[in-house]
Amino acid sequence: MEMSFYVGAIGADNCLNKLSVVSNNLANVNNTGYKPKTAVFSELINYNLNDDIEAVTELQAGAGMRVQRTYTPFEVTAFHQTGDLLNYALGERNTFFMVQDTATGAISYTRDGNFHRGEIDGVFYLTAKNGKLVLDENQQPIELLMPRTDENGQVIEEEDERVQAQPGIVTFNLPSRLLSIGDNEYVPSDEGVEPIPVESPYLETGYLESSGVDVASEYVKMIEAQRAFTYALKMVQTSDDTVQTVNSLRG
C-alpha cells in the first residue's frame, strides 16, 4: 500500500476516535461529578525512530498519528447547593468516594456524590444512583438513621433522615492509571495502584459537584477533529487520483 494511503486512512480513523471522546463528554455535560476525557495523540514516525534499532516495536514502519490514550484530569469544578443531606461534594482534586457492588463485592471509585436511600433486608443504607453501597472510612456500608414512626406510619420523632457515618474518601498517587468502567466510576488499571485514605477530606454536605465539561471547548475540539477528518480523506482521494493517473500513463 502506498504510504500516503496509509497515513490518510489511519488519520481519518483516529479522528473518529477523537470525535467519540468529544461526543461522550458532551453526553455527560449534566452528569454530577463527571470529568471530561482528553484524547492524547502520538506521532508514529517518532514512535519508531526513538526506540532502539533492534527493538521489535508495535509498528515497524509508518508515519501519521494515532490515539495513544485518553487522559482524565480529576480537578475540582463548581458546586451547586441542593439542601439534601444525602448529597456530597468533594473539594479536593484526585479524591474519590468508595462504592461497593452488592452482588460481587467489588469496590469502585467515583466523584459523584449524588447519593440516595436504599433498603436492604429492612435496613436503609446510603447508596449511589446505581444502587451500589457507599462505604465509610473502614470500607463498611453506611446505615441511615431514619425518623421514628408509630405502627400507623405517623412520625413520632421529628428528625431528618441522616447518615450515621461520613463517606470514606480516598486518593491515588497515580490517578492517570485509573480505568473508567462506566457510570462515572473508576478502578485501578493494574496492580500497585492502591487507594490512600484521606484523613481530613474537604467534604461539603448538601452540595453536588457539577460536570467538568466545558461545552465551548468541546465544540472547538469537535470542529478540529471534523476538519482533520476531512483533510485525511482528501489525502486518500488525492493519492487515489495520483495512482490512477500514473497507471493510465503506463498504458
Side-chain angles (χ1 to χ4, degrees), residues 13-211:
D13 182 62
N14 282 276
C15 287
L16 288 177
N17 291 337
K18 181 176 181 178
L19 282 171
S20 296
V21 173
V22 172
S23 63
N24 183 67
N25 289 339
L26 290 173
N28 288 277
V29 68
N30 293 319
N31 281 2
T32 304
Y34 177 79
K35 300 305 174 185
K37 298 174 175 57
T38 301
V40 179
F41 291 86
S42 64
E43 296 180 64
L44 298 184
I45 190 169
N46 288 334
Y47 173 85
N48 289 287
L49 292 178
N50 291 337
D51 211 329
D52 186 85
I53 191 172
E54 297 180 354
V56 180
T57 61
E58 184 178 346
L59 299 168
Q60 293 300 300
M65 58 82 176
R66 69 168 181 174
V67 176
Q68 183 176 9
R69 63 187 178 94
T70 56
Y71 172 71
T72 305
F74 297 102
E75 303 293 338
V76 180
T77 51
F79 293 176
H80 62 272
Q81 187 174 13
T82 66
D84 189 336
L85 297 180
L86 302 186
N87 291 164
Y88 296 89
L90 292 169
E92 295 175 281
R93 63 192 298 268
N94 299 334
T95 54
F96 304 86
F97 301 103
M98 297 180 288
V99 294
Q100 185 176 44
D101 192 314
T102 56
T104 65
I107 297 177
S108 52
Y109 306 89
T110 182
R111 286 187 64 90
D112 185 357
N114 187 12
F115 300 141
H116 303 273
R117 178 184 66 184
E119 183 180 3
I120 300 177
D121 297 330
V123 180
F124 291 97
Y125 294 96
L126 188 65
T127 63
K129 291 183 294 186
N130 55 11
K132 292 186 178 180
L133 293 168
V134 182
L135 304 181
D136 63 16
E137 60 182 359
N138 298 315
Q139 295 191 0
Q140 297 298 315
I142 298 174
E143 188 174 339
L144 293 180
L145 183 62
M146 304 296 296
R148 293 178 57 194
T149 59
D150 59 21
E151 58 184 8
N152 297 319
Q154 299 297 318
V155 176
I156 60 177
E157 182 177 336
E158 294 289 344
E159 184 177 32
D160 290 334
E161 178 181 37
R162 56 189 175 87
V163 298
Q164 296 194 43
Q166 293 295 327
I169 311 301
V170 299
T171 186
F172 293 87
N173 286 331
L174 298 172
S176 61
R177 292 168 66 179
L178 292 176
L179 178 66
S180 175
I181 60 173
D183 285 333
N184 208 3
E185 296 176 9
Y186 301 84
V187 294
S189 59
D190 49 35
E191 295 183 1
V193 183
E194 299 294 335
I196 303 171
V198 178
E199 294 184 359
S200 300
Y202 180 4
L203 189 65
E204 290 285 356
T205 304
Y207 289 81
L208 290 176
E209 184 183 19
S210 301
S211 171

Side-chain angles (χ1 to χ4, degrees), residues 6-17 65 225 228-230 232-233 236:
Y6 173 80
V7 173
I10 198 172
D13 182 62
N14 282 276
C15 287
L16 288 177
N17 291 337
M65 58 82 176
F229 178 77
T230 301
L233 291 185
V236 174

